[in-house]
Amino acid sequence: MTINPREIFAQRLAGRLNPPRAAEARAPANIALAKYWGKRDKALNLPMNSSLSISLARWGTRTRIAPSDRDQLHFNGQALSTDDPAAKRIWEFVNLYRQGLEAPLAIETDNTIPTAAGLASSASGFAALTRALDIAFASNLALETLSELARFGSGSATRSFWHGFVRWDRGAQADGSDSFARLLPQDWPEFRIALLPVDTGPKAQSSRQGMGHTFKTSPLYTAWPDRAEADCAEVQAQIKARDFNALGRVVEANALAMHATMLAARPALSYLQPSSWSLLERLWIARSEGLEAYATADAGPNIKLIFLAESQADVLQRFSEAKVVAPFDVSGGNI
Ligand code: PMV
């Protein structure tokens, strides 16, 4: 017997939906160091493989919810009609959460990421929304349960409930009850991320579509799930060992292996653009000259570098367009 998303929300929220009140929540965006790419169950949004990310400190999403006389949604200050595709996904998720309860809501959601950084984040969006719903309906769920529920909005949202290194276990249960993220205990204050924007416009194909197309048509995809699981374990081990170069090598190889599965899809799927490749070339030359920095890229053309604080001046000199984030510097308040 297969279980559907409605039943899962009903189970987790049994006795935990109270009349809504005003709520505000924030969540950081995250960058996967070991990527999630492909689903083993589409309806439950269960991943083929575990993934591991680093959160982007204060860059993310802030969401406010208030009881209202009708459903309305503002995204970055703009009203979104209910048939806008982004709004549809949000209301579908809200409807799963409120389970037919007569509770119209006004939702305001704002990115705290500079648009120029080229990082529109469904991860922080759905994590902030899930947290705000939990507060609004006084559900008082554990963060791990919120992570499990956020999975239905966006897979990468499972990892946006904490600052620091976070691992989303693929899980083994058919109902997905063990497929959620957890915070890893390691801090690494010198860890840095640089965002190198290539194109900050909307992406050509959503990660949801891209994953499905790669899974269905790429002959290289068969090699991905085992490799990705092993890479995720290796990333975790190197974080624990604090071996930055060993970590960087696997992070970069994992990202490029993911993009290789897409390039082999039929027709080919290429999120990386010529300028993304020239940034990679520049990085590889810099590395041959001694720079200890490594690259990763997601379902878009923008390149992200990881490096340690001691390399920051060199990174900025070589990549003056870089926007640097110190992921463990979360002092001074919220995201
Ligand atoms: O869960 P989604 O739809 O945001 O997909 C995330 C896909 C990647 O960003 C490419 C990889 C990842 O693990 O975040």
Side-chain angles (χ1 to χ4, degrees):
M1 257 271 296
T2 52
I3 189 160
N4 67 40
R6 286 171 58 148
E7 290 165 318
I8 291 175
F9 276 76
Q11 282 175 9
R12 300 291 177 273
L13 289 161
R16 290 173 175 272
L17 272 185
N18 299 292
R21 58 188 165 96
E24 178 177 326
R26 292 163 188 248
N30 73 73
I31 303 283
L33 302 176
K35 308 290 184 193
Y36 148 55
W37 196 248
K39 304 175 202 289
R40 67 178 195 276
D41 183 317
K42 252 169 95 174
L44 301 184
N45 219 11
L46 292 175
M48 277 289 189
N49 60 277
S50 307
S51 54
L52 198 157
S53 62
I54 178 78
S55 291
L56 292 188
R58 279 180 215 86
W59 285 9
T61 303
R62 184 190 58 206
T63 296
R64 295 197 183 98
I65 291 184
S68 173
D69 54 351
R70 66 193 161 91
D71 279 344
Q72 43 182 318
L73 175 64
H74 282 82
F75 181 70
N76 285 339
Q78 262 196 314
L80 284 194
S81 80
T82 27
D83 40 87
D84 176 281
K88 264 194 178 146
R89 265 178 82 182
I90 291 175
W91 287 116
E92 261 170 42
F93 185 82
V94 173
N95 287 338
L96 275 173
Y97 199 100
R98 61 187 170 184
Q99 302 173 59
L101 188 78
E102 188 54 42
L105 299 173
I107 302 179
E108 276 175 39
T109 183
D110 296 289
N111 280 336
T112 58
I113 307 173
T115 319
L119 198 101
S121 174
S122 67
S124 57
F126 278 102
L129 177 63
T130 312
R131 262 191 135 140
L133 288 165
D134 177 68
I135 300 168
F137 289 100
S139 310
N140 210 9
L141 292 168
L143 286 180
E144 285 76 9
T145 310
L146 295 179
S147 165
E148 183 197 350
L149 297 182
R151 200 185 71 225
F152 292 87
S154 152
S156 54
T158 55
R159 303 185 307 241
S160 273
F161 288 85
W162 300 267
H163 288 296
F165 296 113
V166 177
R167 180 184 156 106
W168 173 18
D169 274 321
R170 77 185 287 284
Q173 300 296 328
D175 69 354
S177 53
D178 55 353
S179 190
F180 55 84
R182 289 185 192 86
L183 176 68
L184 298 182
Q186 288 82 20
D187 274 7
W188 200 337
E190 301 80 19
F191 201 92
R192 297 286 181 275
I193 301 155
L195 292 104
L196 301 178
V198 166
D199 181 345
T200 56
K203 51 181 143 180
Q205 197 172 139
S206 71
S207 44
R208 190 167 284 201
Q209 288 169 326
M211 269 180 220
H213 177 63
T214 311
F215 176 74
K216 273 190 258 150
T217 71
S218 172
L220 297 192
Y221 191 80
T222 47
W224 171 259
D226 287 349
R227 182 71 256 160
E229 200 62 43
D231 285 351
C232 188
E234 175 78 7
V235 164
Q236 189 169 354
Q238 299 305 350
I239 289 170
K240 215 169 160 191
R242 281 209 181 212
D243 185 335
F244 182 74
N245 285 315
L247 172 68
R249 281 194 295 271
V250 58
V251 166
E252 190 171 298
N254 174 267
L256 292 175
M258 177 184 75
H259 285 278
T261 66
M262 306 177 196
L263 285 173
R266 299 172 185 203
L269 172 59
S270 176
Y271 285 110
L272 299 175
Q273 295 177 5
S275 337
S276 323
W277 289 109
S278 47
L279 283 170
L280 289 172
E281 291 285 353
R282 273 167 62 193
L283 170 68
W284 293 332
I285 292 169
R287 209 151 69 217
S288 73
E289 293 166 0
L291 178 70
E292 293 181 358
Y294 297 85
T296 185
D298 294 300
N302 304 309
I303 300 294
K304 293 109 186 182
L305 301 183
I306 60 166
F307 54 93
L308 296 178
E310 64 201 30
S311 306
Q312 184 157 327
D314 199 0
V315 165
L316 283 170
Q317 206 192 347
R318 291 172 186 269
F319 300 93
S320 54
E321 68 276 49
K323 309 222 171 336
V324 177
V325 179
F328 291 91
D329 183 8
V330 284
S331 57
N334 289 314
I335 62 162

